Amino acid sequence: MECHDIRKNLSAYLEGMVSPEDQELIDQHLASCRACSTALYELNRTDRLLKNLKEVEPPPWMTQKIMARVREEAESKKGFIQKLFYPLHIKVPLEAFATVLIAVVAVYVFRAVEPEMKGLQPPSSQEPIITRQEAPYPAKAPAAETQAAREKAVPQESPTKTIAKDLAVAEKEIQKRARVDEEGGGRKFKDPPPPVSEIKTLPAPPPTSPSTAPKKEAAVPLQTEAPRMAESRTAEKAASPPAAAGVAPAQEDKRALAEGAARERKVLKKVQPMAPSPRMAAKAKAEVMDFLLRVRDVRIAGGEVESLLNQLGALRINRVSRENDEIITAEVKAEKMKELSEKLKFMGEVEEKDARLGSIEKDTTLRIEIVPAR
Amino acid sequence: MSNRVEERIQTPADDDSRLVSSCQQGEIDAFEALVKKYEKKMLNVAYRMIGDYDEACEVVQDAFLSAYRSIKKFRGESRFSTWLYRIVLNLSKNRMAQVRTRGAREAYSIDAATETEEGSRRMDPPDEGPSPLEQMEKKEVDARVQGCINGLDGEHREVLVLRDIQGFSYEEIHDILKIPDGTMKSRLFRARDALKECLKKVVGDL
């Protein structure tokens, strides 16, 4: 064995990890080779130096520091699942989330059910009331009565209801003129007006009255002005004997006028004792505004106006259909008034009997009369 | 009575496995017992590997934290201490590399010292003239020895530290490092030779 090989094995030799044969060879070589025995000595010293190295002591804070980090790690690890589901402690996250979730779900459920609940509630007084009164077409007494009731409601209204009064004033004007007419013709028509039975017995005015001709002229335009000519004629037919066949047209006109006035008074008498209807009470609450809407088809326009009023949230919609016209009354909110008037203008020719439409600042009862276009 | 008998026959490894299973069930106190048991040895391994006390302390803390994080994966195939030393050695080798690239540590280079066979030239001798090892203070000798250890590369250093400083058996070292016996021994013997040569240069005649 060369020195080189011996030195390679010295470490193992020191540890007794060489075969007995190698150990003998090394022993023999070491005895004769000074350099190799010195190397063995140095190796031994080195080993001793390493084994004698002083152990270092961990700093006193070491354990605590390690455990602090470990606990921090443990907290954050269990934090997610255990903090959420473990009882006790202050588990704000899960409870708070659950509470919010319940609240949100409750709101959604309530919203989803709300429309159905509304459907179940009995219609309150604030709900729009849509009534459609279909009058029989050859206007008979009931129709006349309905109309009269509407018209005669005017005197019962409070003094502020000026718009509706306009109509009443116009009608009174007619009556007055008719009265003057009659008086001019030698007839004495004193208030209170005679009941219908009295009128029936009245003799026809003398055809030779000198003022008849001019008064007839006055009466004709009045007839066109009077909005209820159809009814007037019906009333006339019912009230007057048919014996007037041979009477001159002038006379017939005059008599019709007189009797129309009488009929109106009669109806007024009949209506006055009636208790005010709910519709009248509603009218009394708000201003009344009249529109005249001229359209090509009265029925279609009536339906359109009715649905428009519904859209605008109008209350107490009341529609009365008659032979030639439709009358719709409704309470409309002030802020919807402008929109309503705009839309009505699209449907046909609108005549506002009162020009204050733009300046209305509170809820108003509208009365829209739909008549065929001229 | 029987308990006392059982305690007496319990080996440290049994004790460790009991503590480990407690840890795995979330008992942090059990882990603290393991920390207290092993921190000193861990620190000494780390210190001899790195050569810097403060760095070694940090490495030991990191090693324990790393062990805690993965303790649930510990299946007991090897002893807990073996597993723990493997962790601290790996972290120490990583730290060594960082320390070396920073250039913060001076190491005695074995290669530079072996230029000549019998020149016995001291590399960077701290003092002029040969001074006998006995005249040196223990602390100084230890520092020079550590300096020479620092000059070894990681592979040689770890076997030297485990075998010659910490006194692990070859079997334990084999378990920790998971290298073949032949490789382990040749590394160890080469490490010793290199260290001997280094020490001859830095402390004079051994």
Side-chain angles (χ1 to χ4, degrees):
Chain A
M1 260 198 183
E2 298 294 315
C3 284
H4 180 71
D5 298 321
I6 296 290
R7 289 194 190 174
K8 265 205 326 189
N9 284 313
L10 279 180
S11 245
Y13 173 81
L14 265 179
E15 293 201 34
M17 289 171 68
V18 290
S19 61
E21 301 81 40
D22 283 350
Q23 187 161 357
E24 199 166 326
L25 282 170
I26 292 165
D27 283 339
Q28 287 172 6
H29 181 86
L30 286 174
S32 61
C33 179
R34 193 179 177 90
C36 282
S37 59
T38 308
L40 181 66
Y41 169 79
E42 287 168 349
L43 208 57
N44 232 336
R45 290 286 296 160
T46 303
D47 189 50
R48 213 182 309 152
L49 282 173
L50 285 173
K51 293 221 161 45
N52 287 340
L53 280 174
K54 201 175 176 231
E55 279 197 322
V56 290
E57 290 293 326
W61 45 262
M62 177 82 108
T63 313
Q64 285 174 5
K65 199 162 182 181
I66 291 167
M67 289 317 294
R69 289 175 69 179
V70 163
R71 286 198 172 91
E72 197 180 313
E73 181 86 10
E75 284 298 306
S76 70
K77 208 189 261 179
K78 78 173 161 183
F80 205 72
I81 299 168
Q82 282 193 319
K83 271 184 193 164
L84 285 180
F85 296 105
Y86 212 73
L88 304 174
H89 291 302
I90 315 155
K91 293 170 288 22
V92 179
L94 191 66
E95 275 86 353
F97 178 72
T99 308
V100 169
L101 189 71
I102 287 167
V104 168
V105 167
V107 167
Y108 270 93
V109 167
F110 180 72
R111 281 195 180 162
V113 171
E114 206 177 17
E116 293 160 38
M117 296 289 281
K118 262 188 184 166
L120 292 174
Q121 281 168 2
S124 73
S125 60
Q126 290 302 306
E127 294 294 314
I129 300 164
I130 304 167
T131 55
R132 185 189 167 99
Q133 296 174 10
E134 203 72 48
Y137 280 146
K140 287 179 182 147
E145 205 174 293
T146 311
Q147 181 214 349
R150 186 181 58 248
E151 285 170 6
K152 295 309 158 194
V154 172
Q156 293 181 335
E157 282 172 12
S158 66
T160 58
K161 309 298 176 272
T162 55
I163 308 163
K165 263 188 176 167
D166 288 348
L167 182 61
V169 167
E171 282 171 356
K172 275 180 183 163
E173 194 68 34
I174 295 163
Q175 289 166 17
K176 209 188 280 173
R177 281 196 229 171
R179 219 175 297 145
V180 168
D181 197 18
E182 292 293 321
E183 276 164 8
R187 303 291 312 159
K188 295 288 173 191
F189 243 130
K190 301 283 185 194
D191 282 331
V196 176
S197 54
E198 280 176 304
I199 294 174
K200 261 194 220 169
T201 57
L202 281 174
T208 52
S209 169
S211 58
T212 298
K215 268 149 211 170
K216 186 192 77 184
E217 254 92 67
V220 172
L222 279 176
Q223 279 174 3
T224 52
E225 234 179 83
R228 307 299 160 223
M229 271 325 277
E231 282 75 20
S232 296
R233 288 221 173 90
T234 321
E236 176 203 353
K237 272 181 209 160
S240 64
V247 178
Q251 283 176 323
E252 199 178 321
D253 283 350
K254 220 197 301 179
R255 201 173 60 205
L257 204 59
E259 284 177 3
R263 180 196 55 79
E264 284 187 4
R265 287 202 185 87
K266 172 201 76 179
V267 173
L268 173 63
K269 272 188 179 171
K270 268 176 109 177
V271 168
Q272 267 172 342
M274 280 171 63
S277 69
R279 188 164 57 84
M280 286 168 180
K283 262 189 176 178
K285 274 196 282 182
E287 297 222 30
V288 180
M289 182 173 282
D290 274 33
F291 281 93
L292 187 64
L293 180 62
R294 294 184 188 279
V295 295
R296 273 188 299 165
D297 190 321
V298 171
R299 302 282 162 238
I300 292 173
E304 283 175 354
V305 171
E306 196 177 346
S307 59
L308 173 62
L309 287 167
N310 272 325
Q311 279 172 27
L312 295 174
L315 299 176
R316 300 176 202 289
I317 299 169
N318 188 10
R319 180 177 175 189
V320 180
S321 301
R322 290 183 311 174
E323 192 175 5
N324 291 323
D325 57 9
E326 293 246 0
I327 293 166
I328 296 172
T329 53
E331 271 181 36
V332 181
K333 299 236 181 275
E335 63 265 23
K336 300 284 186 187
M337 200 60 88
K338 202 169 183 182
E339 197 184 344
L340 175 67
S341 100
E342 303 270 297
K343 292 199 170 158
L344 286 178
K345 278 171 189 164
F346 281 114
M347 293 180 184
E349 191 187 332
V350 179
E351 287 178 23
E352 295 171 29
K353 291 183 180 170
D354 195 300
R356 298 171 305 156
L357 190 64
S359 59
I360 294 297
E361 281 173 354
K362 56 179 178 175
D363 297 358
T364 304
T365 299
L366 288 185
R367 183 169 174 279
I368 302 167
E369 191 172 351
I370 306 167
V371 297
R374 279 176 289 201
Chain B
M1 195 68 168
S2 63
N3 276 350
R4 211 180 292 161
V5 174
E6 273 175 31
E7 263 173 41
R8 221 176 287 150
I9 59 170
Q10 254 182 357
T11 65
D14 291 337
D15 201 35
D16 281 2
S17 61
R18 189 174 51 78
L19 286 170
V20 166
S21 62
S22 297
C23 286
Q24 288 170 335
Q25 287 158 23
E27 275 184 42
I28 294 178
D29 291 347
F31 192 75
E32 188 167 1
L34 289 169
V35 170
K36 281 178 177 161
K37 184 174 176 182
Y38 287 105
E39 66 179 355
K40 186 177 176 183
K41 215 158 190 199
M42 295 269 279
L43 178 68
N44 275 281
V45 170
Y47 174 61
R48 294 304 168 197
M49 287 295 290
I50 298 165
D52 184 283
Y53 184 80
D54 293 337
E55 297 269 0
C57 285
E58 278 186 36
V59 163
V60 170
Q61 290 177 57
D62 291 350
F64 274 115
L65 197 66
S66 174
Y68 180 80
R69 281 177 187 150
S70 47
I71 199 159
K72 289 202 171 152
K73 294 176 202 157
F74 178 72
R75 296 275 164 256
E77 287 151 8
S78 58
R79 282 156 61 183
F80 175 74
S81 56
T82 306
W83 184 66
L84 209 53
Y85 289 128
R86 194 181 305 143
I87 293 171
V88 80
L89 276 171
N90 286 333
L91 290 178
S92 297
K93 283 197 274 186
N94 290 341
R95 189 64 62 104
M96 270 166 54
Q98 289 170 20
V99 168
R100 199 171 279 177
T101 42
R102 277 202 307 243
R105 181 119 278 88
E106 275 181 26
Y108 300 111
S109 168
I110 299 164
D111 294 337
T114 48
E115 272 173 5
T116 50
E117 228 349 75
E118 59 235 294
S120 282
R121 224 181 286 158
R122 267 180 231 103
M123 254 210 62
D124 229 3
D127 47 349
E128 284 299 317
S131 57
L133 198 59
E134 287 76 20
Q135 286 175 10
M136 282 187 194
E137 286 190 21
K138 172 103 176 56
K139 204 178 172 183
E140 176 66 15
V141 174
D142 279 3
R144 292 186 184 201
V145 172
Q146 182 63 50
C148 282
I149 295 169
N150 292 344
L152 298 171
D153 63 28
E155 283 181 345
H156 294 98
R157 208 189 296 191
E158 64 187 1
V159 282
L160 189 86
V161 167
L162 291 175
R163 175 68 191 167
D164 289 348
I165 301 175
Q166 300 298 325
F168 284 102
S169 71
Y170 283 113
E171 196 189 342
E172 283 172 318
I173 295 167
H174 172 79
D175 287 345
I176 294 168
L177 299 178
K178 302 207 162 172
I179 50 171
D181 273 7
T183 310
M184 179 175 61
K185 282 172 188 163
S186 73
R187 282 182 190 171
L188 178 64
F189 302 152
R190 173 152 163 67
R192 282 178 184 162
D193 277 337
L195 194 71
K196 181 192 71 166
E197 294 305 317
C198 176
L199 285 172
K200 271 161 69 179
K201 290 168 184 90
V202 297
V203 298
D205 292 332
L206 289 172

